[in-house]
């Protein structure tokens, strides 16, 4: 048993020496020109990171990745209310609203994914089989915006108030109707397509790296005891006992 452990330690030492002699390292990661440009030398010849997207002003932390890029303020409020009903706060921890899932969705819809940049877009579009993804002329960003508008319209027709003005139980009724495809969006698109997109993106926003706007303070990971995006677990895998690690995000690799 000791011979195997010594052999493992020798190999690990060899790898470390190789990485150390191959270039600049940070947390076990070999950094190239694009990444090392984020670091500067101070007067003491020590390497320090340049400011990240989170800056402190008067003791308060400004998170620049929480700025809206796609939603209007009203659309954001509707989306935040909807994601909270899909992933509500409970005794285990915060819900999707506090975790920033709506911010994550906003950023995704504003980018290439929201514009279906990598998807085939020339048609023809047919009703998909059960084992196929939806085929629609709508871009994801347009489908989501249409869904938010329909949430308000359906809510006003049935409860005389917009979605954000409903009680939680009423919001659940509205979302259930959408999940069952009981509402038709413009372009003859089923509300079930919108709900499926909403649910998927809510879960992603809860558990994605905070760099993308959601999973605020990595609380989504902490609830599941997930250690985050660590570069290596060399020391931990040698332990005979379970080791609970504090979550680390992508931004931690730059400091």
């Amino acid at each position: 048993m000791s011979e195997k452990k010594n052999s493992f330690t020798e190999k690990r030492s060899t790898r470390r020496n190789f990485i150390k002699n191959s270039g600049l390292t940070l947390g076990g990661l070999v950094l190239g020109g694009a990444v090392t440009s984020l670091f500067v030398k101070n007067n003491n010849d020590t390497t320090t990171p340049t400011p990240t997207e989170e800056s402190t002003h008067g003791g308060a932390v400004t998170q620049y990745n929480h700025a809206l890029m796609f939603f209007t303020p009203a659309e954001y409020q509707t989306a935040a209310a909807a994601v909270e009903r899909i992933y509500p706060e409970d005794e285990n921890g915060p819900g999707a609203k506090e975790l920033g899932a709506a911010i994550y969705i906003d950023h995704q819809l504003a980018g290439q994914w929201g514009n279906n940049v990598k998807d085939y877009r020339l048609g023809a579009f047919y009703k998909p089989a059960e084992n196929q993804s939806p085929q629609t002329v709508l871009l994801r960003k347009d489908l989501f915006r249409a869904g938010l508008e329909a949430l308000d319209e359906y809510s006003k027709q049935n409860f005389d108030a917009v979605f954000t003005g409903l009680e939680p139980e009423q919001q659940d009724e509205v979302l259930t109707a959408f999940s069952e495809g009981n509402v038709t969006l413009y372009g003859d698109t089923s509300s079930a397509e919108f709900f499926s997109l909403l649910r998927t993106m809510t879960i992603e926003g809860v558990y994605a790296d905070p760099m993308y706007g959601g999973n605020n303070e990595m609380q989504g990971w902490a609830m599941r005891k997930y250690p985050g995006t660590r570069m290596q677990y060399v020391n931990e895998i040698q332990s005979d006992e379970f080791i609970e690690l504090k979550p680390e995000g992508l931004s931690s690799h730059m400091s």
Side-chain angles (χ1 to χ4, degrees):
M1 183 68 178
S2 60
E3 292 181 0
K4 290 184 179 180
K5 191 168 185 177
N6 290 336
S7 176
F8 177 80
T9 305
E10 290 176 2
K11 290 181 180 179
R12 184 179 64 181
S13 178
T14 301
R15 292 193 191 99
R16 285 178 175 174
N17 290 333
F18 171 77
I19 293 175
K20 186 182 298 182
N21 296 327
S22 298
L24 178 64
T25 63
L26 177 67
L29 174 66
V30 180
L31 302 182
V35 180
T36 56
S37 64
L38 296 175
F39 288 75
V40 295
K41 292 285 186 177
N42 61 24
N43 294 331
N44 298 322
D45 291 330
T46 57
T47 304
T48 57
T50 56
T52 63
E53 62 186 352
E54 295 186 3
S55 300
T56 302
H57 301 283
V61 177
T62 301
Q63 296 179 307
Y64 296 107
N65 67 337
H66 282 192
L68 293 180
M69 301 171 64
F70 175 75
F71 290 141
T72 65
E75 288 172 340
Y76 168 74
Q77 294 298 332
T78 302
V83 299
E84 181 67 15
R85 297 315 304 154
I86 293 176
Y87 193 100
E89 178 183 5
D90 60 15
E91 66 277 3
N92 297 309
K97 182 177 181 179
E98 182 179 341
L99 291 171
I103 293 291
Y104 168 84
I105 295 173
D106 170 84
H107 292 6
Q108 294 302 308
L109 295 177
Q112 293 187 349
W113 187 83
N115 286 278
N116 296 66
V117 169
K118 295 185 178 181
D119 294 352
Y120 179 78
R121 302 294 303 159
L122 298 181
F125 299 98
Y126 300 96
K127 183 177 181 179
E130 292 183 358
N131 62 339
Q132 294 178 320
S133 299
Q135 298 186 37
T136 176
V137 180
L138 289 175
L139 299 176
R140 292 188 185 96
K141 66 176 185 179
D142 295 331
L143 172 59
F144 208 94
R145 179 158 278 161
L148 293 180
E149 292 177 0
L151 282 178
D152 278 342
E153 289 300 319
Y154 186 87
S155 298
K156 286 188 287 187
Q157 291 174 7
N158 292 272
F159 300 102
D160 296 322
V162 296
F163 186 78
T164 54
L166 303 183
E167 295 296 325
E169 295 77 12
Q170 295 173 325
Q171 291 177 338
D172 289 346
E173 288 186 40
V174 173
L175 291 173
T176 299
F178 272 64
S179 69
E180 295 173 349
N182 296 335
V183 183
T184 301
L185 312 183
Y186 68 74
D188 199 30
T189 302
S190 171
S191 60
E193 291 186 28
F194 162 70
F195 181 83
S196 177
L197 183 63
L198 171 66
R199 182 183 183 278
T200 298
M201 298 188 76
T202 298
I203 301 303
E204 289 179 4
V206 167
Y207 295 117
D209 190 278
M211 181 176 290
Y212 300 103
N215 190 11
N216 188 31
E217 297 181 353
M218 293 175 279
Q219 295 179 82
W221 289 346
M223 285 189 286
R224 303 187 68 85
K225 301 187 185 304
Y226 175 65
T229 54
R230 291 174 175 267
M231 300 304 295
Q232 50 86 16
Y233 300 88
V234 173
N235 295 324
E236 288 76 17
I237 63 175
Q238 298 180 74
S239 174
D240 294 329
E241 300 179 359
F242 174 76
I243 300 177
E244 185 174 338
L245 301 173
K246 182 179 179 180
E248 289 185 2
L250 292 172
S251 62
S252 66
H253 307 318
M254 305 306 300
S255 61

